[in-house]
């Protein structure tokens, strides 16, 4: 049987409690969702601002479909680059204070394309060990020399930079670490770039729309601006839609356009989605109360969970992981919440280091204080 080996591998995963499974949603993404036929209060999406089913965005999607149809029909460089894509790129660039931007169909593709276009054989890529899988895959694909440093360990990074003499140097990092919720030390990273003549690629998947004035992201949060910065953000999380962009100096963006294979060899995303993102950008910028609500809920959750036997991780973002430790224990806790009508995913190795299984609680501006109180109550019940 050709499948015996694959079946054995799957059985082994299952025995370790590591089999990944999907659940079927029947409602829009939001605070109250129906999953596999049952209703839940959800703390498991990256829709941090509650825009994924915002009426203005839905109307923009419908208008976009009427104007442009459904499919883009080609890659950007053939005939799939529409007016809505073009306008979105210039508005995104201005929003994050960069001269130019390039749209990608997904954050995963943006990271693959950006790293591969900016670093190759003979160059070196420096990466935080807690970076997102897409950045890890990107550096492997680039064929540059790979230097990983301990999470936020600037001394080790400086040492690695010091030892590297030849080629281009590119530091890549999550701005908000997706399974921990903490921030990269962006000012320190940029200072190291200045000292060692390196570039810094910042993946702001979880900061864009959430951090900084008007949701302009992590660079705005830290007040950073430098031509050495290559900024990447995704548009399927706080922006509530789909896709991603890279923003940087014009020359860097032109280099991506010429060399990023995940940009060149893929069909452009539907132009109606770009139209929807233009509407999202307006809502995201103008409805400051959404970020205010998030800050309030984060403080409420952290105060409410302080006395639990499990530790909240040091995060000031809407990603609030509760460190449980063992895989089975994390799964049991997630299932206990589910039995109480609350959906919070357990995150296990290899997504996080061994022995650090956790509940990944994510908050949304669409949550109310009563919703958060319900989660706090359920976790206290389960701790008893
Ligand atoms: C989600 C995520 C991505 C991938 O973005 P998609 O648009 O979902 O492909 C990249 N980097 C980080 C840090 C993420 O959290």
């Amino acid at each position: 049987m050709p499948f015996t080996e694959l079946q054995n591998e799957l059985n082994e995963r299952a025995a370790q409690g590591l089999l990944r499974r999907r659940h079927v949603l029947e409602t829009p993404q939001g605070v109250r969702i129906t999953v596999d036929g049952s209703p839940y209060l959800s703390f498991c999406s990256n829709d941090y601002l509650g825009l994924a089913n915002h009426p203005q965005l839905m109307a923009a999607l419908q208008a976009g479909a009427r104007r442009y149809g459904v499919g883009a029909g080609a890659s950007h460089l053939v005939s799939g680059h529409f007016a809505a894509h073009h306008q979105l790129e210039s508005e995104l660039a201005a929003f994050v204070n960069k001269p130019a931007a390039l749209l990608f169909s997904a954050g995963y593709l943006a990271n693959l394309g950006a790293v591969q276009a900016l670093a190759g054989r003979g160059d070196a890529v420096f990466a935080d060990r807690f970076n997102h899988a897409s950045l890890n895959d990107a550096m492997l694909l680039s064929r540059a020399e790979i230097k990983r440093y301990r999470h936020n360990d600037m001394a080790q990074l400086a040492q690695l930079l010091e030892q590297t003499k030849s080629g281009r140097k590119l530091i890549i990092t999550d701005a908000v670490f997706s399974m921990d919720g903490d921030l990269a030390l962006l000012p320190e990273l940029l200072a190291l770039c200045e000292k060692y003549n390196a570039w810094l690629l910042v993946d702001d998947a979880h900061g864009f729309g959430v951090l900084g004035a008007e949701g302009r992201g992590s660079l705005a949060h830290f007040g950073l601006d430098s031509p050495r910065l290559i900024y990447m953000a995704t548009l399927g999380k706080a922006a509530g839609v789909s896709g991603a962009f890279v923003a940087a100096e014009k020359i860097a963006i032109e280099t991506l356009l010429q060399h990023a294979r995940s940009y060149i060899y893929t069909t452009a995303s539907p132009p109606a989605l770009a139209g929807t993102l233009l509407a999202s950008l307006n809502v995201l910028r103008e409805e400051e109360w959404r970020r205010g609500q998030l800050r309030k809920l984060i403080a409420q959750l952290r105060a409410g969970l302080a006395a639990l036997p499990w530790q909240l991780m040091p995060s000031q973002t809407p990603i609030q992981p509760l460190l449980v430790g063992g895989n089975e224990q994390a799964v049991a806790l997630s299932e206990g919440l589910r039995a109480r009508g609350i959906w919070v995913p357990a995150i296990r190795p290899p997504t996080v280091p061994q022995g650090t299984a956790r509940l990944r609680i994510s908050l949304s501006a669409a949550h109310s204080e009563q919703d958060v109180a319900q989660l706090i109550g359920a976790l206290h019940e389960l701790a008893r």
Side-chain angles (χ1 to χ4, degrees):
M1 262 291 284
F3 290 119
T4 312
E5 200 179 313
L6 297 184
Q7 187 63 60
N8 288 344
E9 282 170 14
L10 289 171
N11 291 348
E12 204 170 302
R13 271 188 97 90
Q16 293 173 314
L18 293 179
L19 215 51
R20 299 176 193 265
R21 243 190 273 116
R22 301 177 302 173
H23 300 280
V24 180
L25 262 78
E26 290 141 37
T27 46
Q29 190 60 267
V31 165
R32 271 156 235 291
I33 53 176
T34 299
V35 186
D36 298 333
S38 305
Y40 292 96
L41 171 59
S42 160
F43 290 93
C44 60
S45 91
N46 302 314
D47 178 25
Y48 301 120
L49 299 178
L51 300 187
N53 65 354
H54 191 291
Q56 258 168 272
L57 273 64
M58 291 191 279
L61 181 58
Q62 288 165 340
R66 278 193 298 273
R67 176 165 172 195
Y68 296 110
V70 181
S75 65
H76 282 279
L77 290 166
V78 176
S79 65
H81 188 64
F82 287 70
H85 294 127
H86 209 67
Q87 188 188 342
L88 179 60
E89 284 180 345
S90 65
E91 291 201 14
L92 285 169
F95 188 59
V96 302
N97 195 28
K98 284 284 169 199
L102 195 68
L103 275 176
F104 285 77
S105 299
Y108 189 93
L109 296 173
N111 280 339
L112 289 192
V115 176
Q116 171 248 324
L118 297 173
R121 260 188 240 284
D123 300 328
V125 178
F126 303 80
D128 190 292
R129 284 198 179 274
F130 283 8
N131 275 351
H132 189 260
S134 58
L135 285 175
N136 294 339
D137 293 356
M139 66 186 182
L140 288 174
L141 194 65
S142 76
R143 298 171 194 222
E145 201 181 335
I146 291 169
K147 315 244 181 191
R148 299 179 85 195
Y149 55 91
R150 284 181 297 272
H151 179 50
N152 275 345
D153 187 338
M154 296 298 103
Q156 191 190 13
L157 173 58
Q159 206 171 34
L160 291 170
L161 285 161
E162 182 75 45
Q163 290 161 0
T164 305
K165 297 296 176 212
S166 61
R168 244 180 344 238
K169 302 185 192 77
L170 175 65
I171 302 173
I172 61 178
T173 186
D174 285 22
V176 177
F177 288 88
S178 54
M179 295 300 143
D180 298 72
D182 61 335
L183 300 183
L185 307 175
L186 294 182
E188 287 83 350
L189 285 168
L190 189 57
L192 286 174
C193 285
E194 299 288 351
K195 179 164 179 196
Y196 293 102
N197 189 26
W199 291 354
L200 180 59
L201 169 63
V202 174
D203 174 343
D204 204 19
H206 301 277
F208 181 79
V210 173
L211 298 177
E214 298 180 296
R216 289 170 195 266
S218 298
L219 301 184
H221 170 82
F222 284 108
L224 294 178
D225 183 18
S226 161
R228 295 181 183 278
L229 280 164
I230 316 284
Y231 180 83
M232 173 274 185
T234 65
L235 301 168
K237 289 171 179 158
V241 187
S242 171
F245 69 100
V246 177
E249 296 301 304
K250 284 202 167 77
I251 292 175
I253 293 303
E254 182 63 21
T255 300
L256 261 58
L257 196 150
Q258 299 301 327
H259 295 293
R261 298 172 65 82
S262 63
Y263 181 79
I264 299 166
Y265 298 109
T266 195
T267 301
S269 64
L273 291 184
T276 311
L277 281 160
L278 287 165
S280 167
L281 201 53
N282 275 330
V283 174
L284 178 157
R285 178 188 300 154
E286 277 160 25
E287 299 191 354
E288 191 58 45
W289 66 265
R290 292 178 187 271
R291 282 173 288 277
Q293 174 73 356
L294 269 177
R295 279 191 293 273
K296 218 159 58 178
L297 298 176
I298 291 166
Q300 182 194 353
L301 183 81
R302 294 192 68 86
L305 298 186
L308 285 179
W310 314 289
Q311 289 277 304
L312 270 175
M313 300 182 69
S315 161
Q316 293 304 317
T317 68
I319 302 170
Q320 290 290 327
L322 191 64
L323 192 59
V324 177
N327 296 349
E328 292 77 16
Q329 213 189 346
V331 171
L333 204 51
S334 172
E335 282 170 359
L337 287 172
R338 204 170 303 169
R340 286 164 173 77
I342 302 177
W343 198 282
V344 181
I347 308 287
R348 292 162 292 172
T351 308
V352 292
Q354 286 294 337
T356 69
R358 63 198 70 176
L359 289 186
R360 183 179 183 274
I361 301 166
S362 60
L363 295 170
S364 162
H367 284 123
S368 66
E369 280 146 88
Q370 291 90 307
D371 295 332
V372 172
Q374 194 179 329
L375 172 62
I376 293 170
L379 281 167
H380 278 276
E381 238 176 79
L382 286 162
R384 281 200 289 271

